[in-house]
Amino acid sequence: MPASFLGSALRGTFFLAFGLWWSVRYPLKYLNRKGAVEGQPGRGRAELFEGAVKAFFALVGILVEQFVPSGPHLQLYSPKTHSWTDLTHWHYSTIYLFFLLSGITDVVSHSPLKLPPGLERLSLTLALLVEGLLFCFRDYSDAVLDQHLHSLLVMAIFAGALCAFLEVFLQDHIILETFRTSTFLLQGSWLWQIGFVLSPPWGGPGWDDSDSSNLLFLTMCFCWHYIGALVVVATNGGKLVFKAPGGCRSLWC
Amino acid sequence: MPASFLGSALRGTFFLAFGLWWSVRYPLKYLNRKGAVEGQPGRGRAELFEGAVKAFFALVGILVEQFVPSGPHLQLYSPKTHSWTDLTHWHYSTIYLFFLLSGITDVVSHSPLKLPPGLERLSLTLALLVEGLLFCFRDYSDAVLDQHLHSLLVMAIFAGALCAFLEVFLQDHIILETFRTSTFLLQGSWLWQIGFVLSPPWGGPGWDDSDSSNLLFLTMCFCWHYIGALVVVATNGGKLVFKAPGGCRSLWC
Amino acid sequence: MPASFLGSALRGTFFLAFGLWWSVRYPLKYLNRKGAVEGQPGRGRAELFEGAVKAFFALVGILVEQFVPSGPHLQLYSPKTHSWTDLTHWHYSTIYLFFLLSGITDVVSHSPLKLPPGLERLSLTLALLVEGLLFCFRDYSDAVLDQHLHSLLVMAIFAGALCAFLEVFLQDHIILETFRTSTFLLQGSWLWQIGFVLSPPWGGPGWDDSDSSNLLFLTMCFCWHYIGALVVVATNGGKLVFKAPGGCRSLWC
Amino acid sequence: MPASFLGSALRGTFFLAFGLWWSVRYPLKYLNRKGAVEGQPGRGRAELFEGAVKAFFALVGILVEQFVPSGPHLQLYSPKTHSWTDLTHWHYSTIYLFFLLSGITDVVSHSPLKLPPGLERLSLTLALLVEGLLFCFRDYSDAVLDQHLHSLLVMAIFAGALCAFLEVFLQDHIILETFRTSTFLLQGSWLWQIGFVLSPPWGGPGWDDSDSSNLLFLTMCFCWHYIGALVVVATNGGKLVFKAPGGCRSLWC
């Protein structure tokens, strides 16, 4: 199985996991809030856990990118060849670094320190903006298909960033949370798709770059992935509405 | 009559019908709300009906796109020619699928289930965004006129999407509703115009692609269509203001 | 004096006149509102007058564009040459038509009919958007300087449109009104500049199109025009603050 | 040391100084506001001082740009060579002029004159927009690296402008203030980076323009600068939270 497929799939799994987790947590939070207006909606434990997991995976991601055999091992410039070493690995490390920061902000802002509310949304926005920026300026060198796939990915990323930025001002807005969840699911499943298209796990070359109908199909495929994401969000939300008993609901609210 | 004219005209009629319906319903709702502040503005029946109609026509659209003689009959990949079959039909099916979802959301959110308010606006936004995205990435292959006509269409679509997105946060805002209505009328009449320009119903080729003054004329023509849309909205709104008796007004409010 | 200079200068004078009028009216309105909170800020007479003037000049503009000797005289298509006649004149007529609509909306919305508040801002937004759209898609045919001058103009236009759109939601916001005033002054003086650069009133050719330093200078010149606009706004606003007596202030508030 | 490095470094220092000052002042203001809700948050002295410093440095900047030996000495057009003189110096003078205006607005709006609140944010927005516009339309003449570096700079500038524009409507919003602070720090440190890349202080040519991996590295480097900016903001903010005694805190609040 090629390394680039593995990397894309792992990254996709990370975003899928977060999307799935949110697709359960946010409807629960909404239902709890509607049920019991009086109590502060006990935020904290779930978001603390979430931030810790995010930071942990980001840290693991950085270490893996740097210390896989083909990685740069923290070396940035090779004096021998007078060139930068493995900029792609460094690019990903940078992205993970911002998610690490976002995770740390999550953890700190639910500690007793009381950061201003909305700061953890801003840090998520920044992480997504940096991710989008670095995918925009990757070296595609005439690989039309590669560029098209990633520009679709960047749309999902920036939609999530816009959403997170609006949440700085409109906190606990269930529609925005749902929308952000769906963009994370989309991003995750699209990363899997990118892996399958550019470096199939069963080996062999990727899809034909010169066939323009592939671009048309993949644009449409992107929309289907989004329908899948919406179905997941709707199913998880719907199950809760029907099954949830009147009283307290778990997931640490 | 060429099939592509018929398709464009039918799609245009769909949007025109919605625009016309809204151009009557929203002013009525506004007048009723101003008249009687106390009662909840009895939303529900009209929007339920609207959602059902939208979902029905979207479903019909999907079936027609798939099962017309020249359609793909649900076949996506042709193993014989090793190529994708009829991606244009699939593109339209995808667009209709999102409008189907939007219709279903309309219906469900006015059922007793009580979805969070604004969700049906988000689903309309998504349908319009997907429509715009797929029109942006169609295969124009150097047909300048085709591309120009559709990029003008995309402006109308994205203006409607922006409007629907703002309505997630500002519900029942009469100005936004009027603006959205006018973008739907514009989109509808522009789809008719596209049909006449690219594949005239009386047969023969479309307009001359190499004459750049056609582009200039059509840009201006787009603005005239919008004036037409505004006149329709103003006329329907104005009639209600003058004729409406003091008491209850119909259209299920 | 070339006709194109005259046209540009007249258009510029229209926008300058509106900018100057607003640069006096809005600070007065603001001061009156701060002075006397109790009374409804008696909007109406000034905006009615404003709308009527706008509509009148737009109507005159349409008639002039159509019936100058070189104009199209309401003829759109010439069957003799099989081509569109004078699309530039028609473009301007279309722009004026939208300003005419905006003027009519102003007049109607301050009549006893009570249109929803904000509708006249939306119609101004639409007029500016259409103006910007038609300037974007003019036929520049490789005249780099022409295109650059108009793309700077379009920035001023769209800044004004954004401002007017925000005013739909935030009415009587003094900062937005000031900003919009400055964009109108900028647009007006830049139209004069365009006239001087492309068709100098003393005859002779316009500036050298092939000299790229002209582009650099004109970009900077655009900023200087804006400084001029800001100085005018500040001076008019400042005079009022210092001179205005405590009691009632005129200009029909 | 080449003049262009010196210029870039001085400009960078200006933005860094403002960023650092804000990274201390805004958290303090926030803490004070949380501590004592009753008293008006005594704005004024700090912002007056800030405005005066900004205006002073902008004035110095204009004079230096004009009267360095290689400068234009207020001459705009050279009749001898029939060309514009030193447009780059004039560009920078224009930018400084807008920051001068912004500084004056700061000073005036905290005088007893009582300008409408938010006006000083609008003037900062305009200064940043003009800076971004002039960097967008500089004469890069095929220097890919130069253009890439400045387009990244423009992102930081426009992010700051967006932030300042939002602050017109949402005043004293700690998250927006923090974000703006970080964009100023980023802009400052990136101006230093531009100096080092294009005209190293130890002489010699700038980086290799034809090596595309330099572009990739610098995009990533831009993100690292931003991490640095965030760390500075977090450190300064964090120190205050821990050390600040309960009572009054200085920096003129």
Side-chain angles (χ1 to χ4, degrees):
Chain A
M1 201 181 302
S4 58
F5 174 78
L6 212 67
S8 202
L10 283 174
R11 281 186 278 278
T13 309
F14 172 80
F15 284 105
L16 278 177
F18 263 82
L20 284 172
W21 161 253
W22 286 342
S23 73
V24 177
R25 196 164 76 78
Y26 289 135
L28 261 182
K29 200 175 72 176
Y30 178 70
L31 287 173
N32 279 331
R33 215 163 37 201
K34 280 215 314 188
V37 189
E38 72 280 7
Q40 262 297 73
R43 310 163 71 189
R45 261 196 301 164
E47 303 203 357
L48 206 86
F49 167 74
E50 207 178 289
V53 168
K54 203 197 289 177
F56 173 74
F57 278 112
L59 197 61
V60 168
I62 295 173
L63 295 176
V64 169
E65 287 289 339
Q66 290 293 327
F67 297 109
V68 288
S70 69
H73 296 81
L74 294 178
Q75 191 193 23
L76 183 58
Y77 192 78
S78 153
K80 262 187 289 180
T81 61
H82 288 289
S83 64
W84 307 102
T85 49
D86 295 302
L87 281 179
T88 307
H89 287 280
W90 277 102
H91 265 204
Y92 281 116
S93 303
T94 307
I95 293 174
Y96 299 154
L97 191 53
F98 271 86
F99 278 99
L100 175 61
L101 273 184
S102 164
I104 292 172
T105 316
D106 277 8
V107 170
V108 174
S109 60
H110 294 98
S111 70
L113 263 179
K114 297 280 178 206
L115 293 194
L119 201 63
E120 81 276 17
R121 292 288 172 257
L122 183 70
S123 72
L124 182 61
T125 310
L126 294 175
L128 290 167
L129 284 179
V130 163
E131 192 193 355
L133 177 74
L134 288 178
F135 276 124
C136 276
F137 286 102
R138 265 179 64 162
D139 184 19
Y140 295 109
S141 53
D142 303 321
V144 185
L145 199 65
D146 193 359
Q147 188 160 19
H148 187 69
L149 284 166
H150 281 94
S151 65
L152 290 170
L153 181 67
V154 163
M155 282 181 207
I157 294 171
F158 282 160
L162 173 67
C163 218
F165 187 65
L166 288 177
E167 283 183 84
V168 171
F169 308 103
L170 298 165
Q171 277 151 35
D172 295 316
H173 193 290
I174 181 69
I175 307 271
L176 284 176
E177 288 172 339
T178 309
F179 186 31
R180 177 158 51 85
T181 304
S182 70
T183 62
F184 266 66
L185 287 170
L186 173 62
Q187 205 191 134
S189 72
W190 194 246
L191 279 165
W192 274 88
Q193 178 81 44
I194 289 178
F196 277 106
V197 170
L198 295 183
S199 46
W202 44 79
W207 291 18
D208 184 3
D209 204 65
S210 61
D211 183 359
S212 78
S213 72
N214 279 338
L215 295 186
L216 292 180
F217 170 72
L218 284 167
T219 312
M220 193 168 63
C221 195
F222 183 71
C223 300
W224 295 352
H225 277 258
Y226 194 52
I227 285 188
L230 290 176
V231 167
V232 168
V233 169
T235 313
N236 282 357
K239 263 192 262 173
L240 290 171
V241 173
F242 284 115
K243 291 198 187 153
C248 68
R249 290 167 195 99
S250 67
L251 247 122
W252 322 314
C253 316
Chain B
M1 200 181 301
S4 58
F5 174 78
L6 211 67
S8 201
L10 283 175
R11 280 186 278 279
T13 308
F14 171 81
F15 284 104
L16 277 177
F18 261 81
L20 284 171
W21 160 254
W22 286 343
S23 73
V24 177
R25 196 164 76 78
Y26 289 134
L28 261 182
K29 200 176 72 176
Y30 177 69
L31 287 173
N32 278 331
R33 216 164 36 202
K34 281 216 313 190
V37 190
E38 71 280 6
Q40 263 294 74
R43 308 165 72 190
R45 260 196 302 164
E47 303 203 357
L48 206 86
F49 167 74
E50 207 179 289
V53 168
K54 203 196 291 176
F56 173 73
F57 277 113
L59 196 61
V60 169
I62 295 173
L63 295 177
V64 168
E65 287 291 337
Q66 290 293 325
F67 297 108
V68 289
S70 69
H73 296 82
L74 293 179
Q75 189 192 24
L76 183 58
Y77 191 79
S78 154
K80 262 187 289 181
T81 62
H82 288 289
S83 64
W84 307 102
T85 50
D86 294 303
L87 280 180
T88 307
H89 287 280
W90 277 102
H91 265 203
Y92 282 117
S93 303
T94 307
I95 293 173
Y96 299 154
L97 191 53
F98 271 87
F99 278 98
L100 175 61
L101 273 185
S102 163
I104 292 172
T105 316
D106 278 7
V107 170
V108 174
S109 60
H110 294 97
S111 71
L113 261 179
K114 298 279 178 206
L115 293 193
L119 201 63
E120 80 276 18
R121 293 287 171 259
L122 183 70
S123 74
L124 182 61
T125 309
L126 294 176
L128 290 167
L129 284 179
V130 164
E131 192 193 355
L133 177 75
L134 287 179
F135 276 125
C136 278
F137 286 102
R138 266 179 64 161
D139 184 18
Y140 295 109
S141 54
D142 303 322
V144 185
L145 199 64
D146 193 359
Q147 187 161 19
H148 186 69
L149 284 166
H150 281 94
S151 65
L152 289 170
L153 181 67
V154 163
M155 283 181 206
I157 294 171
F158 282 160
L162 173 68
C163 217
F165 187 64
L166 288 177
E167 283 183 83
V168 171
F169 308 103
L170 298 166
Q171 276 150 38
D172 295 315
H173 193 290
I174 180 69
I175 307 271
L176 284 176
E177 287 173 340
T178 309
F179 186 33
R180 177 159 51 86
T181 305
S182 69
T183 61
F184 266 66
L185 286 171
L186 173 62
Q187 204 191 136
S189 71
W190 194 245
L191 279 165
W192 275 87
Q193 178 80 43
I194 289 178
F196 277 107
V197 170
L198 295 182
S199 47
W202 44 80
W207 291 18
D208 185 3
D209 204 66
S210 60
D211 183 358
S212 78
S213 73
N214 279 338
L215 295 186
L216 293 180
F217 171 71
L218 284 167
T219 312
M220 192 168 64
C221 195
F222 183 71
C223 299
W224 296 352
H225 277 258
Y226 195 53
I227 285 189
L230 290 177
V231 167
V232 168
V233 169
T235 313
N236 283 358
K239 264 194 262 174
L240 291 172
V241 174
F242 285 115
K243 291 197 186 153
C248 68
R249 289 167 196 98
S250 66
L251 246 122
W252 321 313
C253 315
Chain C
M1 201 181 300
S4 58
F5 174 79
L6 212 67
S8 200
L10 283 175
R11 281 186 278 279
T13 309
F14 171 81
F15 284 104
L16 277 178
F18 262 81
L20 284 172
W21 161 254
W22 285 343
S23 73
V24 177
R25 196 163 76 77
Y26 289 134
L28 262 182
K29 201 176 72 176
Y30 177 70
L31 286 174
N32 279 331
R33 217 165 34 203
K34 281 216 314 189
V37 189
E38 72 279 7
Q40 262 296 72
R43 310 165 71 191
R45 260 196 302 164
E47 303 202 358
L48 206 87
F49 167 74
E50 209 178 288
V53 168
K54 203 196 289 175
F56 173 73
F57 278 111
L59 196 63
V60 168
I62 295 174
L63 295 176
V64 168
E65 287 291 336
Q66 290 292 327
F67 297 109
V68 288
S70 69
H73 296 81
L74 295 179
Q75 191 193 22
L76 183 58
Y77 191 79
S78 154
K80 262 186 292 181
T81 61
H82 288 290
S83 64
W84 307 103
T85 50
D86 295 304
L87 281 180
T88 307
H89 287 281
W90 277 102
H91 265 202
Y92 281 116
S93 303
T94 307
I95 293 173
Y96 299 154
L97 191 53
F98 271 87
F99 278 99
L100 176 61
L101 273 185
S102 163
I104 292 172
T105 317
D106 277 7
V107 170
V108 173
S109 60
H110 294 98
S111 70
L113 262 178
K114 297 279 176 205
L115 294 194
L119 201 63
E120 80 277 18
R121 292 287 172 257
L122 183 71
S123 74
L124 182 61
T125 310
L126 295 175
L128 290 167
L129 283 180
V130 163
E131 192 192 357
L133 177 74
L134 287 178
F135 276 124
C136 277
F137 286 103
R138 267 179 63 162
D139 183 19
Y140 296 109
S141 54
D142 303 323
V144 185
L145 199 64
D146 193 359
Q147 188 161 18
H148 187 68
L149 284 166
H150 281 93
S151 65
L152 289 171
L153 182 67
V154 163
M155 283 181 207
I157 294 170
F158 282 160
L162 172 68
C163 217
F165 187 64
L166 288 176
E167 284 183 83
V168 171
F169 308 103
L170 298 166
Q171 277 151 37
D172 296 317
H173 193 289
I174 179 70
I175 307 272
L176 284 176
E177 287 172 340
T178 309
F179 186 33
R180 177 159 50 86
T181 304
S182 70
T183 62
F184 266 66
L185 287 170
L186 173 62
Q187 203 192 136
S189 71
W190 194 245
L191 279 165
W192 275 88
Q193 178 80 44
I194 289 179
F196 276 106
V197 171
L198 294 183
S199 45
W202 44 80
W207 291 18
D208 184 4
D209 204 65
S210 61
D211 183 358
S212 78
S213 72
N214 279 339
L215 296 186
L216 292 179
F217 170 70
L218 284 167
T219 312
M220 191 168 64
C221 195
F222 183 71
C223 299
W224 295 352
H225 277 258
Y226 195 52
I227 284 189
L230 290 177
V231 166
V232 168
V233 169
T235 313
N236 282 358
K239 264 194 261 173
L240 291 171
V241 173
F242 285 116
K243 290 197 187 151
C248 69
R249 290 168 196 97
S250 66
L251 247 122
W252 321 313
C253 313
Chain D
M1 201 182 300
S4 57
F5 174 77
L6 212 67
S8 202
L10 282 175
R11 282 186 278 277
T13 308
F14 171 80
F15 284 103
L16 277 178
F18 262 82
L20 284 172
W21 161 253
W22 286 342
S23 73
V24 177
R25 195 162 77 77
Y26 289 134
L28 261 183
K29 200 175 73 176
Y30 178 71
L31 287 174
N32 279 330
R33 216 164 36 204
K34 281 216 316 189
V37 188
E38 72 280 6
Q40 262 296 72
R43 310 163 70 189
R45 261 196 300 165
E47 303 202 358
L48 206 86
F49 167 74
E50 207 179 289
V53 168
K54 203 197 290 176
F56 174 73
F57 277 112
L59 197 62
V60 168
I62 295 174
L63 295 176
V64 168
E65 286 291 338
Q66 291 291 328
F67 298 109
V68 288
S70 69
H73 296 82
L74 294 179
Q75 193 193 21
L76 183 57
Y77 191 78
S78 153
K80 262 186 291 182
T81 61
H82 289 289
S83 65
W84 307 102
T85 49
D86 295 302
L87 281 179
T88 307
H89 287 281
W90 277 102
H91 265 202
Y92 282 117
S93 303
T94 307
I95 293 173
Y96 299 154
L97 191 52
F98 271 86
F99 277 99
L100 175 61
L101 273 184
S102 163
I104 292 172
T105 316
D106 277 8
V107 170
V108 174
S109 60
H110 294 98
S111 70
L113 263 178
K114 298 280 176 205
L115 293 194
L119 202 63
E120 80 277 17
R121 292 287 171 259
L122 182 71
S123 72
L124 182 60
T125 311
L126 295 175
L128 290 167
L129 283 179
V130 163
E131 193 192 355
L133 177 75
L134 287 178
F135 275 124
C136 277
F137 286 102
R138 266 179 64 161
D139 184 19
Y140 295 109
S141 54
D142 303 321
V144 185
L145 198 65
D146 193 359
Q147 188 160 17
H148 187 68
L149 284 166
H150 281 93
S151 65
L152 289 170
L153 181 67
V154 163
M155 282 180 206
I157 294 171
F158 282 160
L162 172 67
C163 217
F165 187 64
L166 288 176
E167 283 182 85
V168 171
F169 308 103
L170 298 166
Q171 277 151 37
D172 296 316
H173 193 290
I174 181 69
I175 307 272
L176 283 176
E177 288 172 339
T178 309
F179 186 32
R180 177 159 51 85
T181 303
S182 70
T183 62
F184 266 66
L185 286 171
L186 173 63
Q187 203 191 135
S189 70
W190 193 246
L191 278 165
W192 275 87
Q193 178 80 44
I194 289 178
F196 276 106
V197 170
L198 295 182
S199 46
W202 44 80
W207 290 17
D208 185 4
D209 204 65
S210 61
D211 182 359
S212 78
S213 72
N214 279 338
L215 296 185
L216 293 180
F217 171 71
L218 284 167
T219 312
M220 194 168 62
C221 194
F222 183 71
C223 300
W224 294 352
H225 277 258
Y226 194 52
I227 284 189
L230 290 176
V231 167
V232 168
V233 169
T235 313
N236 282 357
K239 265 193 262 172
L240 290 170
V241 173
F242 284 116
K243 291 198 187 152
C248 68
R249 289 168 195 97
S250 66
L251 247 122
W252 322 313
C253 314

